Amino acid sequence: MKQRFCSGSVSIFYVLILVGLISVLFAFLEAARVSALKTNVHLLTGQAEDAVYASYQPELWEQYHLLFWEESGEGNTGTFPEVCNLQKDAVEQNWESQQFGHNFFFLQAHCSKVEVEQYQLATDDNGAGYYQQAANWMRQNVAEDVLKTVLQSVTESKTDGLEQRGELQEQEVFQALEQMDQSGKTAQTRELPEETGNQEQTRVLAEAQEIKEAEVDAGKTGENSRVELANRSDLQNPLEWMKAVKKNGVLALVMPEQNVSNKELGQTEGVNHTHSAKGSWQQEKTASVTDRLLFGLYCRAHFSDATQERGDRALDYEMEYLIGGKNADQENLKAVVNRLLLMREGANLLYLETDSTKSQEAMSVALALTSVVANPELAEPVKHAILAAWAYAESISDVRILLNGGKVSLVKNDTQWHTDLKHLGDALNTSEKNTEQEGLSYDGYLQLLLWTTSEEKIRQRSMNLIEQNTGVCMNQMAGKIKCSVEYEAQPLFWNLVQLGNNEIGSYHFAEDSEVCYAESKK
């Protein structure tokens, strides 16, 4: 009996020690399992993010290299149920794939909740998300030296004020014509002055007198006779010629033989109208000069212009639309051509004023014209008006060259000058054959005009074109989505050493899921 009792007491002692050791072992195993569960749910969250990244809107990427999630539900309430369901399904599918042959898996964790905390739509903050994506794509696809060259071109072109100068020049021409008309009323019967030895002056005097005689013979007065006579190749008063050709319209002057697109945008509201849907993402990054330049290059790469039409688009002249903002191709092209003419007028007049030979030639014509109206005091202002008309003729030649695929220098020299004061009408026959190898193409001049256009308007108009061409709605495109993901897992080893009736609750884990198409994943 005694020996049997001693043997039994020793066995109970060892059993208690063994139970304690097993409890400690299971505690370590459970702690290790909890740590592994945290790692596993982090991996599951990353895999769920990848599922969202892979579900981008395909049309935007194929045509415009933009990555956005499209919430296809009616109305955007900010909950993004499709994103939440996609991530839940991705977590469950990834968890099921880890169960090889339906064997027991130690790291079972179920996604219990996915909730959107913040998101950014493409139209938020004047299209900041769209703008940043476009700039980032161009940054990865343009050489640094090309970027520096374009930046230097737009920042050092010295085109500021040229358009305003061109407008003043045209006003100067019309004012000079009005002054000459008033002076001519008192000198209609005045005879031609005797030749003074200046052959150029004598020639122009004779032409001016011939114009007046032709008007009297034909019995014509007023604007109709003036227009007809000004268009004659053998009788060209520079001021009358300019006034006459401007009546034809800018497109008839620079594109007489080309078919102009008649496409127009529909009446449907685009992103340039106010949208009710707005995201909650806090935008911190501000656009830099480099970003603005990159966005301009992006527009050049993805939108067509008058020299490279695309028939499958809502508008053929998309770059012109970004600058002009009209609903019709013709109106946008007119706006751009008019701005180019004004810009070139200003630049061309600056050159003419520095060329003494051409200035003297203009003065000879001015003296002849003012002598006919018996008011030589007008010679100086008429000379400036003639130079302005000459600059206008050269501008027509420049724009014709650009639209035919040629190049035109911003600042010209004598060898690059195409028109002759004696034959301004020849400007209407200029083609790309007259161009120089140096200078900017039509595409380059569009970049200059784009640089002077409001950045906010360019963003809105470009997104409007994207909507028209793809059928998507940009205010339903999310570029950034931040979600909170909750997981639940049941204890395993603790259940084997549970003491008493107290049940051990489940484990809960929380992870942040952030989908950001505009930036690369870390």
Side-chain angles (χ1 to χ4, degrees):
M1 291 291 293
K2 185 174 182 181
Q3 291 179 350
R4 198 178 299 167
F5 174 78
C6 291
S7 176
S9 62
V10 171
S11 298
I12 292 174
F13 176 73
Y14 280 116
V15 168
L16 293 175
I17 292 177
L18 182 59
V19 170
L21 292 174
I22 292 175
S23 299
V24 173
L25 177 61
F26 283 176
F28 278 110
L29 290 174
E30 188 69 16
R33 178 173 175 268
V34 170
S35 179
L37 280 170
K38 291 181 180 179
T39 303
N40 189 48
V41 298
H42 182 73
L43 293 175
L44 290 174
T45 303
Q47 293 170 342
E49 289 179 10
D50 292 338
V52 179
Y53 275 110
S55 301
Y56 56 83
Q57 214 286 337
E59 290 291 330
L60 289 182
W61 172 253
E62 292 174 3
Q63 296 191 40
Y64 297 100
H65 298 97
L66 299 173
L67 293 172
F68 285 98
W69 166 272
E70 181 179 18
E71 186 69 21
S72 59
E74 295 183 1
N76 191 349
T77 60
T79 57
F80 289 89
E82 294 179 10
V83 168
C84 299
N85 293 333
L86 177 62
Q87 294 190 74
K88 280 185 178 182
D89 293 341
V91 169
E92 295 300 321
Q93 291 176 9
N94 289 326
W95 172 74
E96 291 177 0
S97 65
Q98 295 173 352
Q99 302 183 56
F100 303 102
H102 301 284
N103 295 326
F104 182 79
F105 184 54
F106 284 90
L107 302 178
Q108 296 179 3
H110 296 275
C111 181
S112 59
K113 182 180 180 182
V114 179
E115 186 176 30
V116 174
E117 294 182 343
Q118 296 182 41
Y119 64 96
Q120 182 190 53
L121 300 177
T123 53
D124 288 344
D125 299 319
N126 296 319
Y130 152 70
Y131 176 87
Q132 198 61 48
Q133 272 203 51
N136 287 346
W137 186 88
M138 207 65 210
R139 184 180 286 107
Q140 298 172 5
N141 290 275
V142 66
E144 185 175 354
D145 56 341
V146 174
L147 183 61
K148 290 181 179 179
T149 301
V150 177
L151 179 61
Q152 183 179 7
S153 174
V154 297
T155 55
E156 299 181 6
S157 59
K158 298 180 180 179
T159 57
D160 295 342
L162 287 181
E163 293 182 49
Q164 292 80 0
R165 184 182 177 90
E167 291 178 352
L168 293 176
Q169 291 171 208
E170 294 185 359
Q171 294 176 8
E172 187 177 354
V173 171
F174 299 136
Q175 290 174 359
L177 274 172
E178 184 178 354
Q179 291 175 345
M180 290 180 62
D181 286 343
Q182 292 176 354
S183 298
K185 291 178 181 179
T186 60
Q188 291 181 356
T189 60
R190 191 178 185 85
E191 296 181 356
L192 279 170
E194 298 180 358
E195 296 184 358
T196 61
N198 188 326
Q199 296 181 355
E200 180 64 23
Q201 179 176 348
T202 303
R203 181 188 66 79
V204 178
L205 282 169
E207 290 183 358
Q209 183 67 19
E210 189 175 350
I211 291 175
K212 289 184 173 294
E213 292 176 354
E215 288 179 348
V216 174
D217 293 340
K220 296 178 180 180
T221 58
E223 294 296 329
N224 292 333
S225 60
R226 176 175 295 168
V227 171
E228 293 179 10
L229 293 170
N231 281 325
R232 287 176 54 182
S233 61
D234 58 336
L235 299 174
Q236 287 188 346
N237 177 340
L239 306 185
E240 298 285 3
W241 175 88
M242 177 176 174
K243 186 174 182 179
V245 297
K246 284 187 70 68
K247 295 180 180 296
N248 297 326
V250 291
L251 295 186
L253 295 177
V254 299
M255 302 177 67
E257 300 178 355
Q258 295 173 268
N259 295 325
V260 180
S261 170
N262 293 318
K263 289 185 178 180
E264 295 185 13
L265 291 180
Q267 299 299 322
T268 56
E269 292 189 353
V271 295
N272 53 334
H273 298 273
T274 303
H275 281 295
S276 58
K278 291 184 178 181
S280 56
W281 196 278
Q282 299 298 322
Q283 183 69 19
E284 298 179 355
K285 186 175 181 179
T286 57
S288 63
V289 174
T290 303
D291 288 336
R292 182 180 178 187
L293 181 62
L294 287 168
F295 183 70
L297 294 175
Y298 172 87
C299 291
R300 287 175 57 182
H302 292 82
F303 298 106
S304 62
D305 59 51
T307 62
Q308 50 175 5
E309 302 174 11
R310 298 178 182 176
D312 59 341
R313 299 292 181 88
L315 293 177
D316 284 341
Y317 310 149
E318 293 179 316
M319 286 293 293
E320 288 81 358
Y321 169 73
L322 298 183
I323 297 170
K326 309 296 183 181
N327 284 337
D329 269 337
Q330 285 193 18
E331 295 300 319
N332 290 316
L333 186 58
K334 285 180 183 179
V336 168
V337 168
N338 188 59
R339 289 189 62 183
L340 286 177
L341 284 173
L342 292 174
M343 180 186 295
R344 291 308 309 159
E345 280 185 70
N348 290 333
L349 183 59
L350 287 176
Y351 164 72
L352 287 174
E353 290 176 343
T354 61
D355 190 310
S356 58
T357 302
K358 289 181 172 58
S359 294
Q360 183 59 41
E361 186 177 353
M363 176 57 79
S364 298
V365 177
L367 288 172
L369 293 176
T370 54
S371 297
V372 171
V373 297
N375 195 350
E377 292 82 4
L378 292 176
E380 189 62 30
V382 170
K383 169 204 167 185
H384 288 288
I386 290 173
L387 288 177
W390 197 354
Y392 180 75
E394 183 73 11
S395 301
I396 294 175
S397 172
D398 292 341
V399 177
R400 287 174 66 94
I401 290 173
L402 292 173
L403 289 173
N404 281 283
K407 294 183 178 181
V408 174
S409 297
L410 283 172
V411 180
K412 289 192 172 186
N413 54 41
D414 185 61
T415 61
Q416 297 171 330
W417 197 264
H418 301 300
T419 56
D420 186 349
L421 185 58
K422 301 176 185 178
H423 305 285
L424 293 185
D426 291 344
L428 302 179
N429 300 319
T430 308
S431 66
E432 72 276 6
K433 296 180 180 179
N434 301 96
T435 187
E436 301 292 333
Q437 296 298 323
E438 299 180 354
L440 292 178
S441 63
Y442 181 70
D443 189 51
Y445 277 95
L446 287 181
Q447 186 68 25
L448 294 179
L449 295 180
L450 202 66
W451 185 262
T452 61
T453 306
S454 167
E455 185 178 357
E456 179 181 346
K457 291 181 179 179
I458 297 174
R459 295 187 194 183
Q460 293 175 346
R461 292 167 184 172
S462 60
M463 286 192 291
N464 193 30
L465 284 176
I466 292 174
E467 285 191 348
Q468 295 287 334
N469 293 328
T470 62
V472 303
C473 192
M474 293 298 285
N475 73 323
Q476 293 181 357
M477 301 293 113
K480 296 180 181 179
I481 306 174
K482 184 177 181 180
C483 302
S484 61
V485 186
E486 297 182 4
Y487 295 88
E488 184 177 358
Q490 298 299 323
L492 178 59
F493 296 104
W494 278 123
N495 289 334
L496 302 177
V497 294
Q498 179 178 345
L499 300 176
N501 295 325
N502 296 326
E503 296 183 358
I504 300 176
S506 58
Y507 303 128
H508 296 274
F509 305 94
E511 287 283 331
D512 288 331
S513 171
E514 184 172 315
V515 176
C516 184
Y517 288 108
E519 301 173 4
S520 59
K521 295 184 66 177
K522 297 180 180 179

